Amino acid sequence: MQRTKVKDLLQGAEVDKEVLLKGWVRTKRGNKFVNFIAVNDGSTINNLQVVADAEKFSEETLKDVTTGAAIAVTGTLVASQGKGQAYEVQASSIEVLGKADPETYPLQKKAHSLEFLREIAHLRFRTNTFGAVFRVRNAMAFAVHKFFNENGFVYVHTPIITASDAEGAGEMFQVTTMDLNNPPRTEDGNINFEEDFFGRSTNLTVSGQMEGEVAAMALSDIYTFGPTFRAENSNTTRHLAEFWMIEPEMAFYDLKMNADLAEEFIKYIIRYALENNREDIEFLAQRQAEEDKSKPQNERQEMTLIEKLEFVVNNDFERITYTEAIDILLNSNHYKKKKFQFDVKWGVDLQSEHERYLVEKHFKKPVIVMDYPKDIKSFYMRQNDDGKTVAAMDILAPGIGEIVGGSQREERMDILIERMKAVGINPDDMWWFLDTRRFGGCPHAGFGLGFERMVQFVTGMGNIRDVIPFPRTPQNAEF
Ligand code: ATP
Ligand code: MN
């Protein structure tokens, strides 16, 4: 007999027929006459109630049906007489496929803290919260590919091991097969990377952009979606050492087209999740509302999670320049009352507190900040005619801060080389990148969206460690 998933059973597939279901016991309760077993198989946030009559099942048979155990049940799917579910299964047989000792199984009925669940990340998939988060994450990943596919973009797999360190100086993880206790050395005592696996020093990628640019110079519109690594020692709720980034790169796009695409893309993903994972998001919204109750008034959300997502989908993002952003900050009461920890003046990078002020207090919606001072942005961003700023754009989201970083790229060879030299990059090392300017270069633009930050935004999870199955952060790579 073929197994039916709980999601389908709850939608009334095969009513009054014999069905086979398999899953994990969430709870078991009962009395002298009947036992109720809540079973979940991950296909939906909802459990299916299995009714096991005491006259059919002895205490002996049911003793191993405990929270966490894997079971297979055959029975009849019937309309439920109880409250809370439309259908239930009247069991005719129950087989315990895998026991879970109640004395040692860590996930008991009571609610566990997210911190505790991080320590048992291998089991947290089995909670309502993480089931919902990872189903939503899955839907969003699918929506990423769907969006780009519908818009004629080519998915390009850029390398994970890279020899270029132009972008990430100091923040990269080294890749080597050398014996660290006894590395080969040159005559002057330095480590001899010529003897390493690739014959040169290599790292894990911090961005697929450069390879993406190369591909866009032939395929027009491309995107990458892959793991990205940063050895930055940022112990924040928004940084991981290993995260997933989506990086579209488009030939013949300017900064405005780039910003428009990013806005359309973000809205598309949110809409897709709202339409396809409504129950999960409703559950997460309730979870967030509960969590909010324990927070001081001024830290609570003004909108529910669903209201916030619908608001973002239905309203235009605000567009301002960096210079306007600085003016807004300088004129704010917050600044006048000296409530910002970091200095505000033209030329400094916006700190997270500034970004959050703009988004959460001033505009109360996502904001696209454009035209940053060139000295705080990467060398490859296109210089504006004022000589001071570059065609960069960051998208800032409520509760998260920066979610997208992008720019129109510098396509003019001489200016690009001049900028490289100014920041200490040897143009010869970047010969293949420069070839895209040398041969048939054209205006182009792109951006990087941190997938986990986007998942945080949609699920309302406050800590980025709770939206990736096995987070990698400083001092932490268990599992
Ligand atoms: P931040 O200032 O927040 O550290 P960044 O300027 O270093 O971000 P970019 O280099 O522009 O970020 O990377 C593009 C996007 O990747 C960011 O907008 C963000 O969404 C995401 N991102 C960057 N660093 C991390 C990280 N350590 N963990 C998770 N996501 C990240
Ligand atoms: Mn960073």
Side-chain angles (χ1 to χ4, degrees), residues 230 232 238-240 243 245 402-405 448 450 453 464:
R230 300 216 178 154
E232 53 191 347
R238 299 168 299 108
H239 289 91
L240 292 165
F243 64 101
M245 185 144 67
E402 182 187 330
I403 195 160
V404 161
R453 292 200 189 164
I464 199 165

Side-chain angles (χ1 to χ4, degrees), residues 119-132:
E119 287 167 18
I120 51 164
H122 59 305
L123 294 174
R124 65 179 182 168
F125 285 97
R126 298 185 188 190
T127 62
N128 282 332
T129 297
F130 287 94

Side-chain angles (χ1 to χ4, degrees), residues 38-88:
V39 179
N40 189 284
D41 66 0
S43 58
T44 159
I45 186 118
N46 301 307
N47 301 329
L48 184 64
Q49 174 158 288
V50 171
V51 183
D53 288 329
E55 58 185 26
K56 279 192 235 153
F57 299 94
S58 64
E59 202 45 38
E60 186 58 23
T61 325
L62 291 175
K63 81 171 182 334
D64 291 333
V65 179
T66 57
T67 298
I71 62 171
V73 178
T74 47
T76 315
L77 184 72
V78 296
S80 175
Q81 285 110 45
K83 264 195 278 181
Q85 67 271 323
Y87 299 99
E88 62 191 19

Side-chain angles (χ1 to χ4, degrees), residues 83-371:
K83 264 195 278 181
Q85 67 271 323
Y87 299 99
E88 62 191 19
V89 167
Q90 288 286 347
S92 53
S93 85
I94 298 176
E95 184 190 351
V96 176
L97 303 171
K99 297 188 221 178
D101 179 1
E103 295 299 313
T104 50
Y105 184 61
L107 291 176
Q108 297 303 333
K109 248 185 253 174
K110 74 178 173 87
H112 299 287
S113 73
L114 295 172
E115 289 78 9
F116 171 72
L117 292 172
R118 250 170 250 148
E119 287 167 18
I120 51 164
H122 59 305
L123 294 174
R124 65 179 182 168
F125 285 97
R126 298 185 188 190
T127 62
N128 282 332
T129 297
F130 287 94
V133 165
F134 293 123
R135 276 187 300 272
V136 172
R137 183 181 166 115
N138 166 66
M140 291 171 65
F142 182 75
V144 167
H145 290 300
K146 192 161 147 51
F147 174 85
F148 286 121
N149 193 51
E150 284 168 5
N151 285 285
F153 283 64
V154 178
Y155 178 27
V156 174
H157 297 98
T158 51
I160 288 171
I161 298 174
T162 158
S164 108
D165 60 359
E167 272 218 85
E171 296 194 342
M172 303 186 91
F173 288 100
Q174 193 145 30
V175 175
T176 180
T177 54
M178 291 188 300
D179 176 359
L180 293 183
N181 288 310
N182 184 25
R185 296 199 181 264
T186 57
E187 273 169 19
D188 48 14
N190 291 321
I191 291 180
N192 186 359
F193 285 103
E194 280 177 23
E195 289 190 32
D196 201 354
F197 189 91
F198 295 106
R200 59 194 301 170
S201 157
T202 51
N203 300 294
L204 294 178
T205 184
V206 294
S207 159
Q209 178 194 322
M210 301 223 159
E211 291 88 350
E213 282 190 49
V214 171
M217 290 301 104
L219 300 167
S220 283
D221 299 326
I222 68 95
Y223 71 106
T224 71
F225 183 3
T228 310
F229 306 87
R230 300 216 178 154
E232 53 191 347
N233 205 352
S234 306
N235 254 312
T236 75
T237 55
R238 299 168 299 108
H239 289 91
L240 292 165
E242 177 181 293
F243 64 101
W244 288 66
M245 185 144 67
I246 298 142
E247 294 178 277
E249 191 70 36
M250 297 75 62
F252 316 115
Y253 266 51
D254 63 15
L255 187 66
K256 183 179 175 304
M257 295 162 81
N258 197 25
D260 290 346
L261 180 81
E263 177 172 347
E264 194 192 333
F265 173 55
I266 289 172
K267 288 178 171 172
Y268 182 96
I269 301 175
I270 297 174
R271 204 179 297 122
Y272 187 88
L274 279 172
E275 281 168 11
N276 292 277
N277 289 67
R278 190 79 191 185
E279 286 181 331
D280 287 323
I281 296 178
E282 276 167 4
F283 174 85
L284 292 164
Q286 216 180 329
R287 193 205 69 82
Q288 192 188 55
E290 285 296 321
E291 190 181 68
D292 257 20
K293 286 186 194 158
S294 65
K295 289 185 181 165
Q297 195 71 43
N298 63 341
E299 282 174 32
R300 293 188 194 168
Q301 311 285 330
E302 287 179 21
M303 296 184 210
T304 67
L305 180 61
I306 302 225
E307 282 167 356
K308 179 188 81 175
L309 296 174
E310 280 171 352
F311 179 85
V312 168
V313 166
N314 294 324
N315 287 278
D316 290 341
F317 292 7
E318 193 69 38
R319 283 165 165 70
I320 56 169
T321 65
Y322 167 88
T323 304
E324 285 163 352
I326 293 290
D327 286 343
I328 291 168
L329 293 171
L330 288 175
N331 286 315
S332 67
N333 279 330
H334 214 74
Y335 177 78
K336 288 174 189 156
K337 290 185 187 158
K338 302 202 189 324
K339 283 194 185 163
F340 289 122
Q341 194 188 337
F342 292 91
D343 197 15
V344 180
K345 62 169 191 259
W346 201 95
V348 301
D349 208 354
L350 296 179
Q351 297 292 328
S352 164
E353 57 173 351
H354 306 139
E355 297 178 341
R356 295 189 67 162
Y357 177 85
L358 290 170
V359 171
E360 287 158 31
K361 296 278 183 305
H362 191 83
F363 289 112
K364 295 181 189 285
K365 55 154 104 168
V367 179
I368 309 184
V369 184
M370 296 190 263
D371 300 325

Side-chain angles (χ1 to χ4, degrees), residues 337-455:
K337 290 185 187 158
K338 302 202 189 324
K339 283 194 185 163
F340 289 122
Q341 194 188 337
F342 292 91
D343 197 15
V344 180
K345 62 169 191 259
W346 201 95
V348 301
D349 208 354
L350 296 179
Q351 297 292 328
S352 164
E353 57 173 351
H354 306 139
E355 297 178 341
R356 295 189 67 162
Y357 177 85
L358 290 170
V359 171
E360 287 158 31
K361 296 278 183 305
H362 191 83
F363 289 112
K364 295 181 189 285
K365 55 154 104 168
V367 179
I368 309 184
V369 184
M370 296 190 263
D371 300 325
Y372 283 78
K374 67 176 181 194
D375 292 332
I376 58 171
K377 288 290 181 187
S378 300
F379 72 89
Y380 52 72
M381 297 188 177
R382 193 178 196 279
Q383 252 183 72
N384 289 324
D385 292 339
D386 62 12
K388 293 189 301 190
T389 60
V390 287
M393 61 142 195
D394 280 4
I395 302 187
L396 315 177
I400 310 283
E402 182 187 330
I403 195 160
V404 161
S407 66
Q408 184 172 338
R409 318 304 190 190
E410 184 58 79
E411 83 282 13
R412 296 160 299 186
M413 188 73 151
D414 47 337
I415 303 180
L416 184 57
I417 289 180
E418 186 193 302
R419 284 300 293 157
M420 280 182 169
K421 288 182 178 157
V423 299
I425 295 169
N426 181 354
D428 293 341
D429 292 345
M430 302 290 297
W431 64 274
W432 54 271
F433 181 68
L434 288 172
D435 264 6
T436 56
R437 276 62 174 173
R438 200 170 275 126
F439 307 120
C442 70
H444 61 291
F447 62 84
L449 174 133
F451 186 54
E452 283 76 17
R453 292 200 189 164
M454 191 67 210
V455 179

